[in-house]
Amino acid sequence: MSRGLLNPINPLVADVGSPPIPEAQAWVGRYDGSHGPLINLSQAVPGNAPHAELLERMAAIAGSPAGSQYGPINGDAPLRQAYAAELSRLYEGRIEPEDTAVTAGCNMAFFAAMMLLAHRGEAVLLPTPWYFNHQMSLDMLGIEPRPLPCRAENGFVPRIEDAEALIDEKVRAIVLVTPNNPTGAVYPAHVIEGFAQLCRRRGIYLVIDETYRDFLPAGMNRAHGLFTDENWRDTVIQLYSFSKSYAIPGHRTGAITADAGLIEQAAKILDCIQICAPRTSQGALPWAIDSLRDWREDNRAEINRRAQVFQDALAPLPEWTIESVGAYFAYVRQPFAGARAQQVAEALATQRGVLCLPGSYFGPGQEGHLRVAIANVGANVLSGLTERFRGLSL
């Protein structure tokens, strides 16, 4: 008898599907190159290099003995101070360094937050379509990811009344993701603030993932006013990714913002699953937060420009409907009635050399959609998608 049968692994892990992006990336091995080089619009990666001075500073830290040592569990003090100051400036509220913790990426921040708030058998409301790593994390923790439907006719923005109807004694938190992954939808401030009021009224937490907050539409400098009210500490946990904003995803740097008492509890989790976040990026980011504001603003403008170029590229193809677009993503309705989303995405990859992800990766009821990571490539590449999409057959 095999060792696997004698010692079965945790079924909460075994029952979770494999990470979907490698599955999709395997399709491109069958593309013959006839339409030009592969255009990879699958995994969301910054489509620009990090700032040159940021790279220089990280290289110096990586080459120093101090940069190779353990750091504080909740993150290096200079980064927590700089980040708290930036949050206070941006959101016009009072956020202290003790209200923050640095994590090995925003996925780590989400995992720690969910472990902090709920245990096996409890539930968290997750907007659907959902970010699949959120759903996978909850499943592995034995926490029910209860779908909160976000509909195309509402711009994929969740409705407070739908959430309230789903809350029972098991629900410990509501998760919001804005700008959204996978749809790109940007939630209006009054909706976010209404969700916070709902959570306060029902005695649960609002966990707001703002990984893409530095890519809001032009003229929109912050997503909400939650932090202007000191009562945020009773209800709100915010997640963030330095990885996207500074184009350093391989350096795995994210953050949690919550009341200092919650951060103290989260430190127990972080000590066990990361000990400390990567030191190289932590040492350089305090400088970057203050010095690269204009650079980040230029990146935001460029990502918004790419979104418009993508819309222009698909405009001559009305059978492909862009139902939502924002930040790094567009959510597109595919034109093949009755076809599975994976079948369409695989055909695009193998026949036309365009790799995007099927909506089915993002939860129930998404077979009609594809997610396109529009930030991955330059506008010159996006403008050529018209002929790649035109006349696709299954």
Side-chain angles (χ1 to χ4, degrees), residues 141-292:
L141 289 168
I143 301 166
E144 176 194 351
R146 188 168 296 179
L148 171 59
C150 301
R151 303 175 181 89
E153 59 266 28
N154 297 323
F156 291 102
V157 175
R159 301 194 315 165
I160 294 167
E161 56 266 38
D162 291 337
E164 185 147 29
L166 292 168
I167 296 172
D168 59 20
E169 68 282 356
K170 290 185 177 181
V171 173
R172 304 299 302 138
I174 299 174
V175 173
L176 298 181
V177 183
T178 184
N180 186 259
N181 179 6
T183 66
V186 177
Y187 301 168
H190 73 271
V191 172
I192 297 170
E193 291 156 12
F195 269 98
Q197 292 167 11
L198 170 63
C199 290
R200 183 174 295 114
R201 187 168 69 249
R202 300 299 295 266
I204 61 177
Y205 277 94
L206 175 66
V207 178
I208 181 165
D209 183 333
E210 294 189 69
T211 291
Y212 300 96
R213 74 149 185 254
D214 289 323
F215 305 98
L216 289 166
M220 186 177 180
N221 294 322
R222 67 182 190 195
H224 56 78
L226 296 180
F227 293 123
T228 61
D229 181 350
E230 191 65 17
N231 289 330
W232 74 265
R233 298 173 180 279
D234 301 329
T235 307
V236 176
I237 297 176
Q238 185 204 50
L239 313 179
Y240 176 67
S241 172
F242 296 98
S243 301
K244 297 296 193 298
S245 299
Y246 297 90
I248 52 170
H251 290 279
R252 309 310 305 133
T253 317
I256 303 175
T257 301
D259 178 72
L262 280 180
I263 294 296
E264 288 180 6
Q265 296 300 315
K268 302 173 187 178
I269 301 169
L270 297 177
D271 186 41
C272 292
I273 59 178
Q274 70 174 24
I275 299 181
C276 67
R279 303 297 307 291
T280 299
S281 54
Q282 288 195 73
L285 281 169
W287 167 84
I289 288 172
D290 287 331
S291 300
L292 297 186

Side-chain angles (χ1 to χ4, degrees), residues 53-129:
E53 188 169 349
L54 178 61
L55 286 175
E56 292 173 4
R57 288 171 177 268
M58 289 195 298
I61 295 163
S64 70
S68 300
Q69 299 299 312
Y70 283 133
I73 295 169
N74 283 342
D76 291 1
L79 177 54
R80 295 175 74 194
Q81 290 164 1
Y83 182 56
E86 177 73 354
L87 288 173
S88 299
R89 181 194 67 81
L90 180 63
Y91 291 100
E92 299 180 355
R94 184 179 67 84
I95 299 167
E96 304 294 343
E98 294 76 18
D99 299 324
T100 69
V102 183
T103 61
C106 197
N107 272 3
M108 179 76 79
F110 179 83
F111 195 92
M114 294 301 101
M115 185 178 288
L116 178 68
L117 296 181
H119 58 72
R120 183 171 181 170
E122 295 184 325
V124 168
L125 300 192
L126 211 57
T128 309

Side-chain angles (χ1 to χ4, degrees), residues 39-44 310 354-357 371-377 381-382 385 389:
I39 301 174
N40 190 340
L41 306 176
S42 59
Q43 187 173 22
F310 178 74
V354 178
L355 182 61
C356 52
L357 297 184
R371 189 198 77 172
V372 184
I374 55 176
N376 290 19
V377 297
V381 176
L382 292 170
L385 288 175
F389 277 78

